[in-house]
CSV table of all heavy atoms in Angstrom, one decimal:
chain,number,residue,atom,x,y,z
A,1,GLN,N,0.8,-1.2,0.0
A,1,GLN,CA,0.0,0.0,0.0
A,1,GLN,C,0.9,1.3,0.0
A,1,GLN,O,0.5,2.3,-0.6
A,1,GLN,CB,-0.9,0.0,1.2
A,1,GLN,CG,-2.0,1.1,1.2
A,1,GLN,CD,-3.0,1.0,2.3
A,1,GLN,OE1,-2.9,0.1,3.1
A,1,GLN,NE2,-4.0,1.9,2.3
A,2,ASP,N,2.0,1.2,0.7
A,2,ASP,CA,2.8,2.4,0.8
A,2,ASP,C,4.1,2.4,-0.1
A,2,ASP,O,5.0,3.1,0.1
A,2,ASP,CB,3.2,2.6,2.3
A,2,ASP,CG,4.0,1.4,2.8
A,2,ASP,OD1,4.1,0.4,2.2
A,2,ASP,OD2,4.6,1.6,3.9
A,3,GLY,N,4.1,1.4,-1.0
A,3,GLY,CA,5.3,1.3,-1.9
A,3,GLY,C,5.5,-0.1,-2.4
A,3,GLY,O,4.5,-0.7,-2.9
A,4,PHE,N,6.6,-0.7,-2.2
A,4,PHE,CA,6.9,-2.0,-2.6
A,4,PHE,C,8.0,-2.6,-1.8
A,4,PHE,O,8.8,-1.9,-1.2
A,4,PHE,CB,7.2,-2.2,-4.1
A,4,PHE,CG,8.5,-1.5,-4.6
A,4,PHE,CD1,9.7,-2.2,-4.6
A,4,PHE,CD2,8.5,-0.2,-5.0
A,4,PHE,CE1,10.9,-1.5,-5.0
A,4,PHE,CE2,9.6,0.5,-5.4
A,4,PHE,CZ,10.8,-0.2,-5.4
A,5,GLU,N,8.0,-3.9,-1.7
A,5,GLU,CA,9.0,-4.7,-1.0
A,5,GLU,C,9.8,-5.5,-2.0
A,5,GLU,O,9.3,-6.1,-2.9
A,5,GLU,CB,8.4,-5.6,0.1
A,5,GLU,CG,9.4,-6.4,0.8
A,5,GLU,CD,8.8,-7.3,1.9
A,5,GLU,OE1,7.6,-7.3,2.0
A,5,GLU,OE2,9.5,-8.1,2.5
A,6,VAL,N,11.1,-5.5,-1.9
A,6,VAL,CA,12.0,-6.3,-2.7
A,6,VAL,C,12.3,-7.6,-2.0
A,6,VAL,O,12.7,-7.6,-0.9
A,6,VAL,CB,13.3,-5.6,-3.0
A,6,VAL,CG1,14.2,-6.4,-3.9
A,6,VAL,CG2,13.1,-4.2,-3.7
A,7,VAL,N,12.0,-8.7,-2.7
A,7,VAL,CA,12.2,-10.0,-2.1
A,7,VAL,C,13.0,-10.9,-3.0
A,7,VAL,O,13.1,-10.7,-4.2
A,7,VAL,CB,10.8,-10.7,-1.8
A,7,VAL,CG1,10.0,-9.9,-0.9
A,7,VAL,CG2,10.1,-11.1,-3.1
A,8,ASN,N,13.7,-11.8,-2.4
A,8,ASN,CA,14.5,-12.8,-3.1
A,8,ASN,C,13.6,-13.9,-3.6
A,8,ASN,O,12.9,-14.5,-2.8
A,8,ASN,CB,15.6,-13.4,-2.2
A,8,ASN,CG,16.6,-14.2,-2.9
A,8,ASN,OD1,16.3,-14.9,-3.9
A,8,ASN,ND2,17.8,-14.2,-2.5
A,9,ILE,N,13.6,-14.2,-4.9
A,9,ILE,CA,12.6,-15.2,-5.4
A,9,ILE,C,12.9,-16.5,-4.8
A,9,ILE,O,12.0,-17.4,-4.7
A,9,ILE,CB,12.6,-15.2,-7.0
A,9,ILE,CG1,14.0,-15.6,-7.5
A,9,ILE,CG2,12.2,-13.9,-7.5
A,9,ILE,CD1,14.0,-15.8,-9.0
A,10,TYR,N,14.1,-16.8,-4.4
A,10,TYR,CA,14.4,-18.1,-3.9
A,10,TYR,C,14.0,-18.3,-2.5
A,10,TYR,O,14.1,-19.4,-1.9
A,10,TYR,CB,15.9,-18.4,-4.1
A,10,TYR,CG,16.4,-18.3,-5.5
A,10,TYR,CD1,17.2,-17.2,-5.9
A,10,TYR,CD2,15.9,-19.2,-6.5
A,10,TYR,CE1,17.5,-17.1,-7.3
A,10,TYR,CE2,16.3,-19.0,-7.8
A,10,TYR,CZ,17.1,-18.0,-8.2
A,10,TYR,OH,17.4,-17.8,-9.5
A,11,ASP,N,13.5,-17.2,-1.9
A,11,ASP,CA,12.9,-17.3,-0.5
A,11,ASP,C,11.4,-17.7,-0.6
A,11,ASP,O,10.8,-18.1,0.4
A,11,ASP,CB,13.0,-16.0,0.2
A,11,ASP,CG,14.4,-15.7,0.6
A,11,ASP,OD1,15.2,-16.7,0.7
A,11,ASP,OD2,14.8,-14.5,0.8
A,12,ILE,N,10.8,-17.7,-1.8
A,12,ILE,CA,9.4,-18.1,-2.0
A,12,ILE,C,9.3,-19.6,-2.1
A,12,ILE,O,10.0,-20.2,-2.9
A,12,ILE,CB,8.9,-17.4,-3.3
A,12,ILE,CG1,8.9,-15.9,-3.3
A,12,ILE,CG2,7.4,-17.9,-3.6
A,12,ILE,CD1,8.6,-15.2,-4.6
A,13,VAL,N,8.5,-20.1,-1.3
A,13,VAL,CA,8.3,-21.6,-1.3
A,13,VAL,C,7.2,-22.0,-2.3
A,13,VAL,O,7.4,-22.8,-3.2
A,13,VAL,CB,7.9,-22.1,0.1
A,13,VAL,CG1,7.7,-23.6,0.0
A,13,VAL,CG2,9.0,-21.8,1.1
A,14,PHE,N,6.0,-21.3,-2.3
A,14,PHE,CA,5.0,-21.5,-3.3
A,14,PHE,C,4.0,-20.3,-3.3
A,14,PHE,O,4.0,-19.5,-2.3
A,14,PHE,CB,4.2,-22.8,-3.0
A,14,PHE,CG,3.3,-22.8,-1.8
A,14,PHE,CD1,2.0,-22.4,-1.8
A,14,PHE,CD2,3.9,-23.1,-0.5
A,14,PHE,CE1,1.2,-22.4,-0.7
A,14,PHE,CE2,3.1,-23.2,0.6
A,14,PHE,CZ,1.7,-22.8,0.5
A,15,CYS,N,3.2,-20.2,-4.3
A,15,CYS,CA,2.2,-19.2,-4.4
A,15,CYS,C,0.9,-19.9,-4.6
A,15,CYS,O,0.7,-20.9,-5.3
A,15,CYS,CB,2.5,-18.3,-5.6
A,15,CYS,SG,4.1,-17.4,-5.6
A,16,LYS,N,-0.1,-19.3,-4.0
A,16,LYS,CA,-1.5,-19.9,-4.0
A,16,LYS,C,-2.5,-18.9,-4.5
A,16,LYS,O,-2.5,-17.8,-4.0
A,16,LYS,CB,-1.9,-20.4,-2.6
A,16,LYS,CG,-3.3,-21.0,-2.5
A,16,LYS,CD,-3.6,-21.4,-1.1
A,16,LYS,CE,-5.1,-21.9,-1.0
A,16,LYS,NZ,-5.5,-22.3,0.4
A,17,ALA,N,-3.3,-19.3,-5.5
A,17,ALA,CA,-4.3,-18.4,-6.0
A,17,ALA,C,-5.4,-18.1,-4.9
A,17,ALA,O,-5.9,-19.0,-4.2
A,17,ALA,CB,-5.0,-19.0,-7.2
A,18,ASP,N,-5.9,-16.9,-4.9
A,18,ASP,CA,-7.0,-16.5,-4.0
A,18,ASP,C,-7.8,-15.5,-4.8
A,18,ASP,O,-7.7,-14.3,-4.6
A,18,ASP,CB,-6.5,-15.9,-2.7
A,18,ASP,CG,-7.6,-15.6,-1.7
A,18,ASP,OD1,-8.7,-15.8,-2.0
A,18,ASP,OD2,-7.3,-15.1,-0.6
A,19,ASP,N,-8.7,-16.0,-5.7
A,19,ASP,CA,-9.4,-15.1,-6.6
A,19,ASP,C,-8.5,-14.3,-7.4
A,19,ASP,O,-7.6,-14.8,-8.1
A,19,ASP,CB,-10.5,-14.3,-5.9
A,19,ASP,CG,-11.6,-15.1,-5.2
A,19,ASP,OD1,-11.9,-16.1,-5.8
A,19,ASP,OD2,-12.1,-14.7,-4.2
A,20,ASN,N,-8.6,-13.0,-7.4
A,20,ASN,CA,-7.7,-12.1,-8.1
A,20,ASN,C,-6.5,-11.7,-7.3
A,20,ASN,O,-5.7,-10.8,-7.8
A,20,ASN,CB,-8.4,-10.9,-8.6
A,20,ASN,CG,-9.5,-11.2,-9.7
A,20,ASN,OD1,-9.2,-12.0,-10.5
A,20,ASN,ND2,-10.6,-10.5,-9.6
A,21,TYR,N,-6.3,-12.3,-6.2
A,21,TYR,CA,-5.1,-12.1,-5.4
A,21,TYR,C,-4.2,-13.4,-5.4
A,21,TYR,O,-4.7,-14.4,-5.8
A,21,TYR,CB,-5.5,-11.8,-3.9
A,21,TYR,CG,-6.1,-10.4,-3.7
A,21,TYR,CD1,-7.5,-10.2,-4.1
A,21,TYR,CD2,-5.4,-9.4,-3.2
A,21,TYR,CE1,-8.1,-9.0,-3.9
A,21,TYR,CE2,-6.0,-8.1,-3.1
A,21,TYR,CZ,-7.3,-7.9,-3.5
A,21,TYR,OH,-7.9,-6.7,-3.3
A,22,THR,N,-3.0,-13.2,-4.8
A,22,THR,CA,-2.2,-14.4,-4.7
A,22,THR,C,-1.5,-14.4,-3.3
A,22,THR,O,-1.0,-13.3,-2.9
A,22,THR,CB,-1.0,-14.4,-5.8
A,22,THR,OG1,-1.6,-14.4,-7.1
A,22,THR,CG2,-0.1,-15.5,-5.6
A,23,GLU,N,-1.6,-15.5,-2.6
A,23,GLU,CA,-0.8,-15.7,-1.4
A,23,GLU,C,0.6,-16.1,-1.7
A,23,GLU,O,0.8,-17.2,-2.3
A,23,GLU,CB,-1.5,-16.8,-0.5
A,23,GLU,CG,-2.8,-16.4,0.1
A,23,GLU,CD,-3.3,-17.5,1.0
A,23,GLU,OE1,-2.6,-18.5,1.2
A,23,GLU,OE2,-4.5,-17.3,1.5
A,24,VAL,N,1.6,-15.3,-1.4
A,24,VAL,CA,3.0,-15.7,-1.6
A,24,VAL,C,3.5,-16.2,-0.3
A,24,VAL,O,3.6,-15.5,0.7
A,24,VAL,CB,3.8,-14.4,-2.1
A,24,VAL,CG1,5.2,-14.8,-2.3
A,24,VAL,CG2,3.2,-13.8,-3.4
A,25,HIS,N,3.9,-17.5,-0.3
A,25,HIS,CA,4.3,-18.1,0.9
A,25,HIS,C,5.8,-18.2,1.0
A,25,HIS,O,6.5,-18.7,0.0
A,25,HIS,CB,3.7,-19.6,1.0
A,25,HIS,CG,2.2,-19.6,1.3
A,25,HIS,ND1,1.7,-20.0,2.5
A,25,HIS,CD2,1.2,-19.2,0.5
A,25,HIS,CE1,0.4,-19.8,2.5
A,25,HIS,NE2,0.0,-19.4,1.3
A,26,PHE,N,6.4,-17.8,2.1
A,26,PHE,CA,7.8,-17.9,2.3
A,26,PHE,C,8.0,-19.0,3.4
A,26,PHE,O,7.0,-19.6,3.9
A,26,PHE,CB,8.4,-16.6,2.8
A,26,PHE,CG,8.2,-15.5,1.8
A,26,PHE,CD1,7.0,-14.7,1.9
A,26,PHE,CD2,9.1,-15.2,0.8
A,26,PHE,CE1,6.8,-13.7,1.0
A,26,PHE,CE2,8.9,-14.2,-0.1
A,26,PHE,CZ,7.7,-13.4,0.0
A,27,LYS,N,9.2,-19.3,3.8
A,27,LYS,CA,9.4,-20.3,4.8
A,27,LYS,C,8.7,-20.1,6.1
A,27,LYS,O,8.1,-21.0,6.7
A,27,LYS,CB,10.9,-20.5,5.0
A,27,LYS,CG,11.7,-21.1,3.8
A,27,LYS,CD,13.2,-21.3,4.2
A,27,LYS,CE,13.9,-22.0,3.1
A,27,LYS,NZ,13.8,-21.4,1.8
A,28,ASP,N,8.7,-18.8,6.6
A,28,ASP,CA,8.1,-18.5,7.9
A,28,ASP,C,7.0,-17.5,7.8
A,28,ASP,O,6.5,-17.0,8.9
A,28,ASP,CB,9.2,-18.0,8.8
A,28,ASP,CG,10.3,-19.1,9.0
A,28,ASP,OD1,9.9,-20.2,9.2
A,28,ASP,OD2,11.4,-18.7,8.9
A,29,SER,N,6.5,-17.1,6.6
A,29,SER,CA,5.5,-16.1,6.5
A,29,SER,C,4.8,-16.1,5.2
A,29,SER,O,5.2,-16.9,4.3
A,29,SER,CB,6.1,-14.7,6.7
A,29,SER,OG,7.1,-14.4,5.7
A,30,LYS,N,3.8,-15.3,5.0
A,30,LYS,CA,3.1,-15.2,3.7
A,30,LYS,C,2.6,-13.8,3.5
A,30,LYS,O,2.4,-13.0,4.5
A,30,LYS,CB,2.0,-16.2,3.6
A,30,LYS,CG,0.8,-15.9,4.6
A,30,LYS,CD,-0.3,-16.9,4.4
A,30,LYS,CE,-1.5,-16.7,5.3
A,30,LYS,NZ,-2.6,-17.7,5.1
A,31,LYS,N,2.4,-13.4,2.3
A,31,LYS,CA,1.9,-12.1,1.9
A,31,LYS,C,0.8,-12.2,0.9
A,31,LYS,O,0.9,-13.0,0.0
A,31,LYS,CB,3.0,-11.2,1.4
A,31,LYS,CG,4.2,-11.0,2.3
A,31,LYS,CD,5.3,-10.1,1.6
A,31,LYS,CE,6.5,-10.0,2.5
A,31,LYS,NZ,6.2,-9.3,3.8
A,32,LEU,N,-0.3,-11.4,1.1
A,32,LEU,CA,-1.4,-11.4,0.1
A,32,LEU,C,-1.1,-10.3,-0.8
A,32,LEU,O,-1.0,-9.1,-0.4
A,32,LEU,CB,-2.7,-11.2,0.9
A,32,LEU,CG,-4.0,-11.3,0.0
A,32,LEU,CD1,-4.1,-12.7,-0.7
A,32,LEU,CD2,-5.2,-11.0,0.8
A,33,VAL,N,-1.0,-10.6,-2.1
A,33,VAL,CA,-0.6,-9.6,-3.1
A,33,VAL,C,-1.8,-9.5,-4.1
A,33,VAL,O,-2.4,-10.4,-4.6
A,33,VAL,CB,0.7,-10.0,-3.9
A,33,VAL,CG1,1.1,-9.0,-4.9
A,33,VAL,CG2,1.8,-10.3,-2.9
A,34,SER,N,-2.1,-8.2,-4.5
A,34,SER,CA,-3.2,-8.0,-5.5
A,34,SER,C,-2.8,-8.2,-6.9
A,34,SER,O,-2.9,-7.3,-7.8
A,34,SER,CB,-3.7,-6.5,-5.3
A,34,SER,OG,-2.6,-5.6,-5.5
A,35,LYS,N,-2.3,-9.4,-7.2
A,35,LYS,CA,-2.0,-9.9,-8.5
A,35,LYS,C,-2.4,-11.3,-8.7
A,35,LYS,O,-2.5,-12.1,-7.7
A,35,LYS,CB,-0.4,-9.8,-8.8
A,35,LYS,CG,0.2,-8.4,-8.7
A,35,LYS,CD,-0.3,-7.5,-9.8
A,35,LYS,CE,0.4,-6.2,-9.8
A,35,LYS,NZ,-0.1,-5.3,-10.8
A,36,THR,N,-2.8,-11.7,-9.9
A,36,THR,CA,-3.3,-13.1,-10.1
A,36,THR,C,-2.1,-14.1,-10.1
A,36,THR,O,-0.9,-13.7,-10.3
A,36,THR,CB,-4.0,-13.2,-11.4
A,36,THR,OG1,-3.1,-12.9,-12.5
A,36,THR,CG2,-5.2,-12.2,-11.5
A,37,LEU,N,-2.4,-15.4,-9.9
A,37,LEU,CA,-1.4,-16.4,-9.9
A,37,LEU,C,-0.8,-16.5,-11.3
A,37,LEU,O,0.4,-16.7,-11.4
A,37,LEU,CB,-2.0,-17.7,-9.5
A,37,LEU,CG,-1.0,-18.9,-9.3
A,37,LEU,CD1,-0.1,-18.6,-8.2
A,37,LEU,CD2,-1.8,-20.2,-9.1
């Protein structure tokens, strides 16, 4: 909402579709992103 976060793609374990959003799952956390899978 206030900008963007830079992440290492190799820290992403998997991504899960949630309608028009995507849950990006890391080893110890997840983020809901307003982009499609």
Side-chain angles (χ1 to χ4, degrees):
Q1 189 172 5
D2 61 348
F4 63 91
E5 180 180 357
V6 179
V7 301
N8 189 326
I9 62 174
Y10 304 110
D11 290 336
I12 300 172
V13 179
F14 70 94
C15 300
K16 179 184 177 182
D18 185 359
D19 291 328
N20 290 323
Y21 290 78
T22 298
E23 290 182 4
V24 181
H25 289 251
F26 303 90
K27 289 181 173 61
D28 301 312
S29 64
K30 68 178 180 180
K31 299 180 185 297
L32 186 63
V33 183
S34 58
K35 299 290 182 183
T36 64
L37 188 62

